[in-house]
Amino acid sequence: MNTLALCVVAKDRAELDNWMATHDLSAVDELVAVNNAGGRYGGYGHVCQRALDGTNSFIFGICHADTKFIGSALEVFRDVAAVGNVTGMVGRMPDGEYRWSKSGMTHSPTCLDGCAVFFRRDSGLRFDWQRFDGFHCVGEDVALAARARGIPLVIPHCDAEHTSTSNFPPGGDHSVGHAPWLKDYYRYVALLRAKYPQLQFHVS
């Protein structure tokens, strides 16, 4: 049976309460909802790994609390993962184009965004929480680990969205001076590139 365990990680209580109040969780068999204000329970990967270790459902998913799953979206992610894919709501293609779940079924993105990632428990995928010990690149690492092992990446067609689609400043300025959090982000991207030198991929 395609059971689903979902770990939702929020930056504060209000964000978590809003996520809980606006979702139909009938597709979720096990829910781990975490208010990780100030990183008090560790980095994103550490929180997700503890949730993976503490649940039993066939499919395991992670998401930020600034995501939205509408209608049957959670069932779609669950079922696409159940047939052996790693799946998420947004990724980037070999040419760098972003592809979203709302735009139709997409096969073979180079990477998935960590805002939402789903995979089979028996895939053996784990969270590299010691290397990716903060907020960034946790789901991306899982997606690239899947690719390195020949597990397909798929963005399914469903009604799901990352409500804060970008934290970059207006005009697409990705410089550290305009968005200080980017210095930390780029450090983790460098770790991804060092870990997967054999893979070509695009991240945010």
PDB file of all heavy atoms in Angstrom, residues 25-57:
ATOM      1  N   LEU A  25      -5.088  16.771   4.782  1.00  0.00           N
ATOM      2  CA  LEU A  25      -4.025  15.798   5.033  1.00  0.00           C
ATOM      3  C   LEU A  25      -4.531  14.355   4.986  1.00  0.00           C
ATOM      4  O   LEU A  25      -3.900  13.451   5.537  1.00  0.00           O
ATOM      5  CB  LEU A  25      -3.377  16.097   6.383  1.00  0.00           C
ATOM      6  CG  LEU A  25      -2.736  17.489   6.479  1.00  0.00           C
ATOM      7  CD1 LEU A  25      -2.189  17.736   7.879  1.00  0.00           C
ATOM      8  CD2 LEU A  25      -1.630  17.648   5.432  1.00  0.00           C
ATOM      9  N   SER A  26      -5.639  14.146   4.295  1.00  0.00           N
ATOM     10  CA  SER A  26      -6.197  12.793   4.238  1.00  0.00           C
ATOM     11  C   SER A  26      -5.273  11.810   3.536  1.00  0.00           C
ATOM     12  O   SER A  26      -5.370  10.600   3.756  1.00  0.00           O
ATOM     13  CB  SER A  26      -7.564  12.816   3.561  1.00  0.00           C
ATOM     14  OG  SER A  26      -7.470  13.371   2.257  1.00  0.00           O
ATOM     15  N   ALA A  27      -4.357  12.292   2.691  1.00  0.00           N
ATOM     16  CA  ALA A  27      -3.414  11.405   2.002  1.00  0.00           C
ATOM     17  C   ALA A  27      -2.188  11.080   2.850  1.00  0.00           C
ATOM     18  O   ALA A  27      -1.375  10.242   2.455  1.00  0.00           O
ATOM     19  CB  ALA A  27      -2.963  12.041   0.695  1.00  0.00           C
ATOM     20  N   VAL A  28      -2.052  11.732   3.992  1.00  0.00           N
ATOM     21  CA  VAL A  28      -0.851  11.576   4.821  1.00  0.00           C
ATOM     22  C   VAL A  28      -1.135  10.577   5.936  1.00  0.00           C
ATOM     23  O   VAL A  28      -2.061  10.753   6.723  1.00  0.00           O
ATOM     24  CB  VAL A  28      -0.413  12.934   5.408  1.00  0.00           C
ATOM     25  CG1 VAL A  28       0.818  12.764   6.288  1.00  0.00           C
ATOM     26  CG2 VAL A  28      -0.151  13.934   4.284  1.00  0.00           C
ATOM     27  N   ASP A  29      -0.323   9.529   5.996  1.00  0.00           N
ATOM     28  CA  ASP A  29      -0.481   8.505   7.028  1.00  0.00           C
ATOM     29  C   ASP A  29       0.309   8.829   8.286  1.00  0.00           C
ATOM     30  O   ASP A  29      -0.103   8.485   9.393  1.00  0.00           O
ATOM     31  CB  ASP A  29      -0.047   7.153   6.471  1.00  0.00           C
ATOM     32  CG  ASP A  29      -0.883   6.757   5.274  1.00  0.00           C
ATOM     33  OD1 ASP A  29      -2.009   6.276   5.472  1.00  0.00           O
ATOM     34  OD2 ASP A  29      -0.419   6.969   4.129  1.00  0.00           O
ATOM     35  N   GLU A  30       1.465   9.459   8.118  1.00  0.00           N
ATOM     36  CA  GLU A  30       2.295   9.882   9.250  1.00  0.00           C
ATOM     37  C   GLU A  30       2.751  11.314   8.974  1.00  0.00           C
ATOM     38  O   GLU A  30       3.301  11.587   7.907  1.00  0.00           O
ATOM     39  CB  GLU A  30       3.516   8.989   9.417  1.00  0.00           C
ATOM     40  CG  GLU A  30       3.199   7.528   9.691  1.00  0.00           C
ATOM     41  CD  GLU A  30       4.463   6.698   9.745  1.00  0.00           C
ATOM     42  OE1 GLU A  30       4.904   6.229   8.667  1.00  0.00           O
ATOM     43  OE2 GLU A  30       5.016   6.514  10.855  1.00  0.00           O
ATOM     44  N   LEU A  31       2.528  12.191   9.932  1.00  0.00           N
ATOM     45  CA  LEU A  31       2.902  13.595   9.767  1.00  0.00           C
ATOM     46  C   LEU A  31       3.868  13.999  10.873  1.00  0.00           C
ATOM     47  O   LEU A  31       3.600  13.775  12.059  1.00  0.00           O
ATOM     48  CB  LEU A  31       1.657  14.483   9.825  1.00  0.00           C
ATOM     49  CG  LEU A  31       1.892  15.991   9.707  1.00  0.00           C
ATOM     50  CD1 LEU A  31       2.407  16.355   8.317  1.00  0.00           C
ATOM     51  CD2 LEU A  31       0.616  16.763  10.015  1.00  0.00           C
ATOM     52  N   VAL A  32       4.994  14.594  10.453  1.00  0.00           N
ATOM     53  CA  VAL A  32       5.939  15.187  11.388  1.00  0.00           C
ATOM     54  C   VAL A  32       5.976  16.673  11.062  1.00  0.00           C
ATOM     55  O   VAL A  32       6.485  17.073  10.017  1.00  0.00           O
ATOM     56  CB  VAL A  32       7.343  14.563  11.263  1.00  0.00           C
ATOM     57  CG1 VAL A  32       8.303  15.212  12.251  1.00  0.00           C
ATOM     58  CG2 VAL A  32       7.295  13.056  11.458  1.00  0.00           C
ATOM     59  N   ALA A  33       5.401  17.498  11.921  1.00  0.00           N
ATOM     60  CA  ALA A  33       5.309  18.936  11.688  1.00  0.00           C
ATOM     61  C   ALA A  33       6.200  19.643  12.692  1.00  0.00           C
ATOM     62  O   ALA A  33       6.013  19.492  13.901  1.00  0.00           O
ATOM     63  CB  ALA A  33       3.868  19.400  11.827  1.00  0.00           C
ATOM     64  N   VAL A  34       7.178  20.393  12.210  1.00  0.00           N
ATOM     65  CA  VAL A  34       8.225  20.938  13.070  1.00  0.00           C
ATOM     66  C   VAL A  34       8.298  22.450  12.946  1.00  0.00           C
ATOM     67  O   VAL A  34       8.487  22.987  11.842  1.00  0.00           O
ATOM     68  CB  VAL A  34       9.595  20.321  12.716  1.00  0.00           C
ATOM     69  CG1 VAL A  34      10.686  20.857  13.642  1.00  0.00           C
ATOM     70  CG2 VAL A  34       9.534  18.795  12.782  1.00  0.00           C
ATOM     71  N   ASN A  35       8.164  23.138  14.077  1.00  0.00           N
ATOM     72  CA  ASN A  35       8.457  24.565  14.158  1.00  0.00           C
ATOM     73  C   ASN A  35       9.934  24.673  14.501  1.00  0.00           C
ATOM     74  O   ASN A  35      10.331  24.534  15.656  1.00  0.00           O
ATOM     75  CB  ASN A  35       7.587  25.214  15.242  1.00  0.00           C
ATOM     76  CG  ASN A  35       8.051  26.618  15.597  1.00  0.00           C
ATOM     77  OD1 ASN A  35       8.849  27.218  14.881  1.00  0.00           O
ATOM     78  ND2 ASN A  35       7.563  27.134  16.716  1.00  0.00           N
ATOM     79  N   ASN A  36      10.752  24.903  13.472  1.00  0.00           N
ATOM     80  CA  ASN A  36      12.201  24.919  13.664  1.00  0.00           C
ATOM     81  C   ASN A  36      12.741  26.341  13.780  1.00  0.00           C
ATOM     82  O   ASN A  36      13.774  26.676  13.212  1.00  0.00           O
ATOM     83  CB  ASN A  36      12.894  24.176  12.519  1.00  0.00           C
ATOM     84  CG  ASN A  36      14.290  23.739  12.889  1.00  0.00           C
ATOM     85  OD1 ASN A  36      14.565  23.405  14.039  1.00  0.00           O
ATOM     86  ND2 ASN A  36      15.192  23.723  11.918  1.00  0.00           N
ATOM     87  N   ALA A  37      12.043  27.180  14.524  1.00  0.00           N
ATOM     88  CA  ALA A  37      12.443  28.585  14.691  1.00  0.00           C
ATOM     89  C   ALA A  37      13.886  28.674  15.162  1.00  0.00           C
ATOM     90  O   ALA A  37      14.276  28.028  16.140  1.00  0.00           O
ATOM     91  CB  ALA A  37      11.527  29.262  15.702  1.00  0.00           C
ATOM     92  N   GLY A  38      14.667  29.467  14.443  1.00  0.00           N
ATOM     93  CA  GLY A  38      16.063  29.655  14.818  1.00  0.00           C
ATOM     94  C   GLY A  38      16.913  28.411  14.698  1.00  0.00           C
ATOM     95  O   GLY A  38      18.012  28.348  15.258  1.00  0.00           O
ATOM     96  N   GLY A  39      16.436  27.406  13.969  1.00  0.00           N
ATOM     97  CA  GLY A  39      17.190  26.167  13.830  1.00  0.00           C
ATOM     98  C   GLY A  39      17.342  25.409  15.139  1.00  0.00           C
ATOM     99  O   GLY A  39      18.291  24.659  15.325  1.00  0.00           O
ATOM    100  N   ARG A  40      16.356  25.557  16.028  1.00  0.00           N
ATOM    101  CA  ARG A  40      16.512  24.995  17.373  1.00  0.00           C
ATOM    102  C   ARG A  40      16.549  23.467  17.388  1.00  0.00           C
ATOM    103  O   ARG A  40      17.033  22.875  18.358  1.00  0.00           O
ATOM    104  CB  ARG A  40      15.374  25.482  18.274  1.00  0.00           C
ATOM    105  CG  ARG A  40      13.975  25.134  17.782  1.00  0.00           C
ATOM    106  CD  ARG A  40      12.906  25.706  18.690  1.00  0.00           C
ATOM    107  NE  ARG A  40      11.566  25.435  18.204  1.00  0.00           N
ATOM    108  CZ  ARG A  40      10.480  25.642  18.926  1.00  0.00           C
ATOM    109  NH1 ARG A  40      10.586  26.131  20.152  1.00  0.00           N
ATOM    110  NH2 ARG A  40       9.297  25.380  18.434  1.00  0.00           N
ATOM    111  N   TYR A  41      16.041  22.824  16.325  1.00  0.00           N
ATOM    112  CA  TYR A  41      16.103  21.358  16.251  1.00  0.00           C
ATOM    113  C   TYR A  41      17.142  20.878  15.254  1.00  0.00           C
ATOM    114  O   TYR A  41      17.133  19.734  14.835  1.00  0.00           O
ATOM    115  CB  TYR A  41      14.727  20.782  15.906  1.00  0.00           C
ATOM    116  CG  TYR A  41      13.704  21.068  16.976  1.00  0.00           C
ATOM    117  CD1 TYR A  41      12.531  21.758  16.675  1.00  0.00           C
ATOM    118  CD2 TYR A  41      13.911  20.677  18.291  1.00  0.00           C
ATOM    119  CE1 TYR A  41      11.588  22.029  17.665  1.00  0.00           C
ATOM    120  CE2 TYR A  41      12.979  20.952  19.282  1.00  0.00           C
ATOM    121  CZ  TYR A  41      11.825  21.623  18.958  1.00  0.00           C
ATOM    122  OH  TYR A  41      10.901  21.897  19.931  1.00  0.00           O
ATOM    123  N   GLY A  42      18.059  21.773  14.885  1.00  0.00           N
ATOM    124  CA  GLY A  42      19.109  21.418  13.951  1.00  0.00           C
ATOM    125  C   GLY A  42      18.799  21.887  12.548  1.00  0.00           C
ATOM    126  O   GLY A  42      17.784  22.536  12.283  1.00  0.00           O
ATOM    127  N   GLY A  43      19.694  21.567  11.626  1.00  0.00           N
ATOM    128  CA  GLY A  43      19.500  21.930  10.233  1.00  0.00           C
ATOM    129  C   GLY A  43      18.359  21.154   9.609  1.00  0.00           C
ATOM    130  O   GLY A  43      17.864  20.156  10.157  1.00  0.00           O
ATOM    131  N   TYR A  44      17.939  21.602   8.438  1.00  0.00           N
ATOM    132  CA  TYR A  44      16.821  20.989   7.722  1.00  0.00           C
ATOM    133  C   TYR A  44      17.065  19.488   7.519  1.00  0.00           C
ATOM    134  O   TYR A  44      16.187  18.655   7.751  1.00  0.00           O
ATOM    135  CB  TYR A  44      16.663  21.716   6.390  1.00  0.00           C
ATOM    136  CG  TYR A  44      15.488  21.358   5.531  1.00  0.00           C
ATOM    137  CD1 TYR A  44      14.236  21.050   6.067  1.00  0.00           C
ATOM    138  CD2 TYR A  44      15.617  21.370   4.136  1.00  0.00           C
ATOM    139  CE1 TYR A  44      13.156  20.750   5.251  1.00  0.00           C
ATOM    140  CE2 TYR A  44      14.543  21.074   3.309  1.00  0.00           C
ATOM    141  CZ  TYR A  44      13.320  20.756   3.866  1.00  0.00           C
ATOM    142  OH  TYR A  44      12.255  20.460   3.052  1.00  0.00           O
ATOM    143  N   GLY A  45      18.274  19.140   7.109  1.00  0.00           N
ATOM    144  CA  GLY A  45      18.583  17.737   6.871  1.00  0.00           C
ATOM    145  C   GLY A  45      18.536  16.893   8.124  1.00  0.00           C
ATOM    146  O   GLY A  45      18.089  15.744   8.100  1.00  0.00           O
ATOM    147  N   HIS A  46      18.992  17.451   9.239  1.00  0.00           N
ATOM    148  CA  HIS A  46      18.982  16.712  10.502  1.00  0.00           C
ATOM    149  C   HIS A  46      17.539  16.461  10.946  1.00  0.00           C
ATOM    150  O   HIS A  46      17.189  15.348  11.375  1.00  0.00           O
ATOM    151  CB  HIS A  46      19.754  17.486  11.563  1.00  0.00           C
ATOM    152  CG  HIS A  46      20.203  16.649  12.710  1.00  0.00           C
ATOM    153  ND1 HIS A  46      20.875  17.169  13.792  1.00  0.00           N
ATOM    154  CD2 HIS A  46      20.061  15.326  12.975  1.00  0.00           C
ATOM    155  CE1 HIS A  46      21.134  16.196  14.657  1.00  0.00           C
ATOM    156  NE2 HIS A  46      20.658  15.068  14.175  1.00  0.00           N
ATOM    157  N   VAL A  47      16.704  17.470  10.835  1.00  0.00           N
ATOM    158  CA  VAL A  47      15.291  17.315  11.184  1.00  0.00           C
ATOM    159  C   VAL A  47      14.648  16.237  10.305  1.00  0.00           C
ATOM    160  O   VAL A  47      13.938  15.345  10.791  1.00  0.00           O
ATOM    161  CB  VAL A  47      14.543  18.655  11.029  1.00  0.00           C
ATOM    162  CG1 VAL A  47      13.035  18.461  11.158  1.00  0.00           C
ATOM    163  CG2 VAL A  47      15.040  19.664  12.058  1.00  0.00           C
ATOM    164  N   CYS A  48      14.912  16.296   9.000  1.00  0.00           N
ATOM    165  CA  CYS A  48      14.300  15.343   8.078  1.00  0.00           C
ATOM    166  C   CYS A  48      14.822  13.929   8.290  1.00  0.00           C
ATOM    167  O   CYS A  48      14.056  12.961   8.178  1.00  0.00           O
ATOM    168  CB  CYS A  48      14.528  15.800   6.642  1.00  0.00           C
ATOM    169  SG  CYS A  48      13.678  17.338   6.226  1.00  0.00           S
ATOM    170  N   GLN A  49      16.105  13.777   8.596  1.00  0.00           N
ATOM    171  CA  GLN A  49      16.636  12.439   8.829  1.00  0.00           C
ATOM    172  C   GLN A  49      16.020  11.812  10.077  1.00  0.00           C
ATOM    173  O   GLN A  49      15.697  10.619  10.089  1.00  0.00           O
ATOM    174  CB  GLN A  49      18.158  12.464   8.948  1.00  0.00           C
ATOM    175  CG  GLN A  49      18.779  11.077   9.071  1.00  0.00           C
ATOM    176  CD  GLN A  49      18.443  10.189   7.888  1.00  0.00           C
ATOM    177  OE1 GLN A  49      18.609  10.584   6.741  1.00  0.00           O
ATOM    178  NE2 GLN A  49      17.948   8.983   8.156  1.00  0.00           N
ATOM    179  N   ARG A  50      15.839  12.604  11.123  1.00  0.00           N
ATOM    180  CA  ARG A  50      15.180  12.070  12.320  1.00  0.00           C
ATOM    181  C   ARG A  50      13.746  11.652  12.004  1.00  0.00           C
ATOM    182  O   ARG A  50      13.264  10.629  12.503  1.00  0.00           O
ATOM    183  CB  ARG A  50      15.212  13.098  13.455  1.00  0.00           C
ATOM    184  CG  ARG A  50      16.601  13.320  14.020  1.00  0.00           C
ATOM    185  CD  ARG A  50      16.568  13.956  15.407  1.00  0.00           C
ATOM    186  NE  ARG A  50      15.868  15.207  15.433  1.00  0.00           N
ATOM    187  CZ  ARG A  50      16.429  16.393  15.211  1.00  0.00           C
ATOM    188  NH1 ARG A  50      17.727  16.473  14.936  1.00  0.00           N
ATOM    189  NH2 ARG A  50      15.715  17.496  15.277  1.00  0.00           N
ATOM    190  N   ALA A  51      13.069  12.442  11.156  1.00  0.00           N
ATOM    191  CA  ALA A  51      11.708  12.073  10.765  1.00  0.00           C
ATOM    192  C   ALA A  51      11.707  10.799   9.926  1.00  0.00           C
ATOM    193  O   ALA A  51      10.836   9.928  10.103  1.00  0.00           O
ATOM    194  CB  ALA A  51      11.055  13.222  10.000  1.00  0.00           C
ATOM    195  N   LEU A  52      12.664  10.654   9.034  1.00  0.00           N
ATOM    196  CA  LEU A  52      12.775   9.434   8.229  1.00  0.00           C
ATOM    197  C   LEU A  52      13.003   8.219   9.129  1.00  0.00           C
ATOM    198  O   LEU A  52      12.377   7.170   8.956  1.00  0.00           O
ATOM    199  CB  LEU A  52      13.913   9.584   7.217  1.00  0.00           C
ATOM    200  CG  LEU A  52      14.216   8.370   6.332  1.00  0.00           C
ATOM    201  CD1 LEU A  52      13.022   8.002   5.460  1.00  0.00           C
ATOM    202  CD2 LEU A  52      15.451   8.647   5.469  1.00  0.00           C
ATOM    203  N   ASP A  53      13.895   8.375  10.099  1.00  0.00           N
ATOM    204  CA  ASP A  53      14.193   7.276  11.014  1.00  0.00           C
ATOM    205  C   ASP A  53      13.013   6.927  11.918  1.00  0.00           C
ATOM    206  O   ASP A  53      12.900   5.787  12.377  1.00  0.00           O
ATOM    207  CB  ASP A  53      15.401   7.631  11.892  1.00  0.00           C
ATOM    208  CG  ASP A  53      16.711   7.642  11.113  1.00  0.00           C
ATOM    209  OD1 ASP A  53      16.774   7.016  10.033  1.00  0.00           O
ATOM    210  OD2 ASP A  53      17.674   8.286  11.587  1.00  0.00           O
ATOM    211  N   GLY A  54      12.143   7.895  12.166  1.00  0.00           N
ATOM    212  CA  GLY A  54      11.068   7.697  13.124  1.00  0.00           C
ATOM    213  C   GLY A  54       9.720   7.361  12.527  1.00  0.00           C
ATOM    214  O   GLY A  54       8.725   7.288  13.253  1.00  0.00           O
ATOM    215  N   THR A  55       9.661   7.183  11.203  1.00  0.00           N
ATOM    216  CA  THR A  55       8.400   6.838  10.540  1.00  0.00           C
ATOM    217  C   THR A  55       8.570   5.533   9.776  1.00  0.00           C
ATOM    218  O   THR A  55       9.683   5.024   9.634  1.00  0.00           O
ATOM    219  CB  THR A  55       7.957   7.968   9.590  1.00  0.00           C
ATOM    220  OG1 THR A  55       9.023   8.246   8.662  1.00  0.00           O
ATOM    221  CG2 THR A  55       7.615   9.233  10.363  1.00  0.00           C
ATOM    222  N   ASN A  56       7.450   5.027   9.261  1.00  0.00           N
ATOM    223  CA  ASN A  56       7.486   3.707   8.634  1.00  0.00           C
ATOM    224  C   ASN A  56       6.811   3.625   7.272  1.00  0.00           C
ATOM    225  O   ASN A  56       6.864   2.580   6.634  1.00  0.00           O
ATOM    226  CB  ASN A  56       6.813   2.683   9.564  1.00  0.00           C
ATOM    227  CG  ASN A  56       7.553   2.542  10.877  1.00  0.00           C
ATOM    228  OD1 ASN A  56       8.651   2.015  10.924  1.00  0.00           O
ATOM    229  ND2 ASN A  56       6.941   3.042  11.949  1.00  0.00           N
ATOM    230  N   SER A  57       6.186   4.683   6.812  1.00  0.00           N
ATOM    231  CA  SER A  57       5.417   4.623   5.575  1.00  0.00           C
ATOM    232  C   SER A  57       6.310   4.323   4.368  1.00  0.00           C
ATOM    233  O   SER A  57       7.517   4.594   4.371  1.00  0.00           O
ATOM    234  CB  SER A  57       4.667   5.935   5.350  1.00  0.00           C
ATOM    235  OG  SER A  57       3.689   6.125   6.350  1.00  0.00           O
TER     236      SER A  57
END
